[in-house]
Structure formats: C-alpha cells, structure tokens
Amino acid sequence: MTETLSSGDVYTKLERIAEMAREHPERAFSSIGHVIDIALLREAYRRTRKDGAVGVDGQTAVQYARELESNLGSLLNRFKSGRYRAAAVRRVEIPKASGGLRPLGIPTFEDKVLQRAVSMVLEAIYEQDFMDCSYGFRPRRSAHNALDSIWKSEMKMQGGWVLEVDIEKFFDSMSHEHLRSILDRRVTDGVVRRVVHKWLKAGVMRDGVHERSVRGTPQGGVISPLLANIYLHEVVDQWFSEQVRPRLKGRAFLVRYADDMVFGFEREEDARRVMAVLSKRFGKYGLRLHPDKTRLVRFEPPRGDDAGDTPLRESFDFLGFTHYWGKSRKGNWIVKRKTAKDRFARSLRRVSQWCKRFRHLPVHVQHDKLSAVMRGHYGYYGITNNGAMLEKYWYQVHRTWYRWLARRNSRGMLWERYASIVERLPLPRPRVVHSALRTANH
C-alpha cells in the first residue's frame, strides 16, 4: 500500500510540473531538484530494465536489489549534496544494418536509475514543448505512429518530393555548449544541471582505457534519447515549423524519429530550397549531414496509363521499411511499405547465427525461441501490403532451421523428417498487426 501511495505521489508531482510548463512556455525552472526524492527513485528503479548489460563496475540489478533501500538512500544523498560521481560508460560496438559498427554506451545500474529519475522530471517539462512531428523515445508514441504519419501525409498530397536526412554520427557529435544553451531556456536548477553535466563529461571505458568526452552523449544511455530530442527540437522541429514552412509555396511535412527524419514537399522548388540550407543549419549546431545517405527523391505515383504493381525506382527507406507507390486492389495508386532489404537480411542473419549456435538444443526448445523471434518480427514488420516479404521471411526461417537441424549429424536429415517436426511444432504464420485501414479510419 505504501508503494502505491508513493507512486501516486510521484505522478502528482510530475503532473504539477507538466501543468506549469504548459501554462508558462517561456519559464525556466530553477527549482525542480526537490522532486527527485526516495519515492521517485523507487519508481525510476521499477522502470529500469533489470536484464540489461552491466556497466564498468560489473554490478547487476539483482546485486543492487539486495540492499535496495540503502542503495537508493545513498544515491539520493549523493545526488542532493553534489557528491555523486558519474561512472564512465562501458563502450561496446554492435553491427549496423548498413555495415560497420554502431558504438553503444552502457552505464552502471545505479547511473541508469538516477538517469531514469532525472529523465522523468525533464520529460514532464519538455513534453509540453515537443511537437507532433517528433516520435522517437516519447511516451505513447512509437515508430509505427511515425510511419502512419508519413503514409497519411503522402496519401493526402498524392506525391511530391521526399528529402531523406541522415546525420553523421549524431550521438557522438552533439555539442555540449549548444546543449547547455538550449537547456538554459527551460531548466536552470543547479542540482539537475550539475548531474547532467557529469554524465556528459563522464567519458567512456574502451578496452580498459578511459576516454574523456568533449562532445556527444553515449548512445545507449537512459537519458541520451531525451537529450537528443531536446537538441533536435530546436535544431530541426522548431526551425522547420516556425521559420521554414510558413515561407514555402506548397504543402510540406516533417517526421522525425530521434535522429532519423524525413521531409516531404508538394513542390520541387520548396524541396530544393530546404535542401540547400539544411547543411548550414545543422553545421551551426556542430552537426554534419551524411553526404551519401542524405538525398532528395521524386516520390509520386506514375501519371497517365502506367500500369503494374512493382516498386518504382524512386522509393525511400525509413525505420526499416521501403516506401513506394503501388496499385491497390481497386486499381488506385497508393503508398505501400515493405521490409527494407538490409533489415530483411539482418533479421535472417540473426536467425541463422542463433540456429548455428544452439542447433544441439532439444527441438522443442529451439521451436519456442524461433517462434518468439518470428512473432517479434511480425509485431514490427506486420503491416498492410507487406505480406509478400512476411511470407518470404517465414519460408527462409524454415529453410534456415532445416539446414542447421540437418547438420546435427553427419547423415543429415530428410525433408520428410523435418516436415513431421514442423507438423507437430509449427512455426507461427505471418500476420498483419498494423492495419493501414484501421489507421486511415482512425
């Protein structure tokens, strides 16, 4: 009962801050550190993932929970008094879909808890400022909301020009000086600002060597997505909404998911004007557009008597989907989405790697794991008009599983034997989870 009351008190305090932020959009909050108390830290702990990788101190969530109240009390005292020290984040690298490696920073579990608490307070303020075009890492918003927004906008305009924007190494390039200046307009509380500064300067630990940070924020940190949204809200969202779009001759839209973004334009001249000033705008804030991945495409349905339903050359990728024009069942040109080639290949590669590594586990254990992976794939890529790619995925997973089961012994496995296995343990069939019809009606 005490925990329930504490949680309710936490939400009441956060809602009070949000209400003040809504009523006073120009106000800078100078006293919000007091909101972070033991109740809020408990809620932050509850929200923090317990199965994540460990930081440089090697402490797990299970170990932290053994003395939870004592640990949270000590953390709160150090936070309030300024004695809190941010540990360096552990740097790991994971493969990118486009090739190469993506650096991730893994904070200690204690840092994750405090970052979650500070994020909850900052989020209460900045959610009142953020715009509808921003979808990444925000409450009650998802990648599919962003995809739906693009679909609706393009269908309404019936084509035009699309500007794909890619920021080169955004999380490593974000200027601390500009971020502090942006934060000054809304948050001047010394306790909160001091701890944010410590996280930015904590640096990374790579192969036992501590590297200081002069720019950027580690991708993978709990607070990093919120800081990225605060940064790009000024760099892109406000700028486009308040300064650029009113000067354009035709309709235009922006959809941003963290540092991935797409601009849509009704008229070519508007698209080229924005593209011409974009590099200068980003450069002002220490950011650089990727020269190869930032491109302008003509995205409109064929005119005249063009027929067929094959993807046109002028398509664009966003959030793992290739967007293209195709014919509906009624013969009308509509925007369709299918799994992007690189994401499709990456998904199958992960399945193959897992099957290879665990091919000697009992078949029913492998089936349970593969079924969960496939349902997760359908949960994201299961959208209207993507049926062909979902069926292809289902077929390729079957082939992959059969291939690695056959390698469990030197005599291999007859297909008939595999067919009897999947008859008893069928893999889940593809299904549409996100319906464009429901989206359109909504």
Side-chain angles (χ1 to χ4, degrees):
M1 185 67 175
T2 302
E3 184 176 347
T4 304
L5 290 174
S6 297
S7 297
D9 186 52
V10 166
Y11 290 114
T12 299
K13 290 179 179 179
L14 294 177
E15 180 53 39
R16 192 176 300 130
I17 292 175
E19 185 178 350
M20 287 189 290
R22 278 193 301 270
E23 294 176 353
H24 306 283
E26 303 299 323
R27 174 180 176 177
F29 288 78
S30 59
S31 180
I32 53 176
H34 67 279
V35 176
I36 300 177
D37 54 15
I38 197 68
L40 191 135
L41 284 181
R42 286 196 198 103
E43 179 63 16
Y45 166 80
R46 187 186 69 82
R47 294 190 187 187
T48 302
R49 279 187 58 182
K50 311 301 188 293
D51 59 347
V54 299
V56 295
D57 62 353
Q59 187 179 48
T60 65
V62 173
Q63 293 170 335
Y64 194 84
R66 288 172 186 160
E67 301 286 342
L68 181 60
E69 289 303 312
S70 174
N71 287 332
L72 293 181
S74 171
L75 176 60
L76 181 63
N77 288 334
R78 284 178 282 129
F79 166 71
K80 296 286 189 180
S81 66
R83 293 183 292 108
Y84 165 82
R85 290 189 176 184
V89 299
R90 183 166 68 88
R91 174 60 61 89
V92 297
E93 295 180 327
I94 60 173
K96 296 172 64 175
S98 56
L101 297 173
R102 181 190 303 279
L104 289 180
I106 303 174
T108 64
F109 186 78
E110 181 176 74
D111 284 351
K112 290 178 184 178
V113 173
L114 186 54
Q115 285 186 21
R116 179 69 64 191
V118 173
S119 294
M120 290 165 66
V121 176
L122 293 180
E123 188 178 84
I125 297 171
Y126 282 99
E127 272 299 314
Q128 318 315 313
D129 300 342
F130 290 159
M131 298 182 169
D132 286 341
C133 62
S134 168
Y135 292 89
F137 305 103
R138 294 183 58 190
R140 297 175 296 281
R141 287 179 166 237
S142 69
H144 287 97
N145 296 142
L147 292 165
D148 291 341
S149 179
I150 291 178
W151 186 82
K152 290 177 182 177
S153 299
E154 287 294 348
M155 289 295 292
K156 187 175 181 180
M157 289 200 308
Q158 278 298 293
W161 294 78
V162 168
L163 178 59
E164 294 181 81
V165 174
D166 186 277
I167 306 174
E168 196 168 21
K169 297 181 178 179
F170 168 70
F171 282 91
D172 293 332
S173 305
M174 195 162 55
S175 164
H176 293 176
E177 180 183 355
H178 284 298
L179 178 59
R180 285 194 292 268
S181 176
I182 293 170
L183 287 171
D184 283 343
R185 295 176 200 141
R186 273 310 227 170
V187 179
T188 57
D189 181 281
V191 177
V192 172
R193 290 295 299 273
R194 182 169 59 234
V195 75
V196 171
H197 178 76
K198 287 180 179 180
W199 287 324
L200 292 175
K201 295 296 184 181
V204 299
M205 188 73 73
R206 189 203 307 266
D207 299 327
V209 179
H210 186 207
E211 302 174 2
R212 287 288 178 184
S213 300
V214 294
R215 299 178 67 83
T217 178
Q219 191 172 1
V222 175
I223 201 168
S224 295
L226 177 59
L227 295 180
N229 273 334
I230 293 171
Y231 201 80
L232 291 175
H233 170 71
E234 172 163 321
V235 177
V236 184
D237 303 352
Q238 270 190 317
W239 171 72
F240 183 75
S241 176
E242 298 173 4
Q243 300 182 42
V244 175
R245 191 159 49 192
R247 294 181 171 88
L248 301 179
K249 295 182 179 180
R251 290 176 293 181
F253 68 87
L254 164 65
V255 173
R256 181 176 66 79
Y257 191 92
D259 59 324
D260 293 327
M261 65 195 79
V262 165
F263 294 84
F265 303 92
E266 185 179 23
R267 300 168 67 108
E268 179 182 3
E269 59 183 300
D270 289 339
R272 296 199 179 278
R273 283 175 61 196
V274 173
M275 189 175 184
V277 301
L278 209 55
S279 292
K280 184 177 180 181
R281 175 66 182 179
F282 278 78
K284 178 181 176 182
Y285 290 85
L287 305 175
R288 182 173 181 266
L289 297 181
H290 197 294
D292 300 323
K293 297 180 181 179
T294 299
R295 66 189 191 112
L296 182 64
V297 299
R298 186 174 184 176
F299 188 73
E300 58 184 19
R303 309 300 180 186
D305 298 327
D306 291 337
D309 193 28
T310 56
L312 301 174
R313 242 173 53 186
E314 291 294 346
S315 60
F316 67 93
D317 289 353
F318 186 65
L319 297 180
F321 289 91
T322 297
H323 301 242
Y324 65 96
W325 287 96
K327 284 288 188 72
S328 69
R329 292 182 179 180
K330 295 182 179 180
N332 300 318
W333 287 104
I334 61 172
V335 176
K336 293 187 173 184
R337 286 83 52 91
K338 68 172 187 175
T339 311
K341 289 182 180 179
D342 59 343
R343 295 296 186 91
F344 186 79
R346 184 176 67 178
S347 297
L348 290 179
R349 187 164 56 248
R350 287 177 174 173
V351 169
S352 181
Q353 290 169 348
W354 189 90
C355 288
K356 176 183 178 181
R357 182 180 178 185
F358 298 105
R359 64 186 181 274
H360 293 296
L361 289 178
V363 171
H364 73 276
V365 175
Q366 294 187 47
H367 170 266
D368 290 345
K369 173 62 177 179
L370 285 175
S371 297
V373 169
M374 295 175 77
R375 282 192 289 269
H377 185 88
Y378 303 151
Y380 187 78
Y381 293 102
I383 66 174
T384 304
N385 297 317
N386 196 31
M389 293 299 289
L390 295 179
E391 288 288 345
K392 186 177 179 181
Y393 174 80
W394 179 84
Y395 173 74
Q396 292 294 345
V397 171
H398 264 292
R399 287 193 60 184
T400 300
W401 195 25
Y402 166 69
R403 184 170 69 250
W404 287 110
L405 284 178
R407 294 189 184 186
R408 289 174 21 138
N409 60 70
S410 58
R411 292 177 295 176
M413 174 190 286
L414 294 176
W415 182 261
E416 288 76 11
R417 168 63 179 151
Y418 176 74
S420 68
I421 291 175
V422 295
E423 183 178 359
R424 178 170 50 92
L425 299 169
L427 293 175
R429 296 288 309 185
R431 68 190 188 95
V432 173
V433 178
H434 307 278
S435 169
L437 179 60
R438 286 197 299 267
T439 298
N441 291 337
H442 178 72

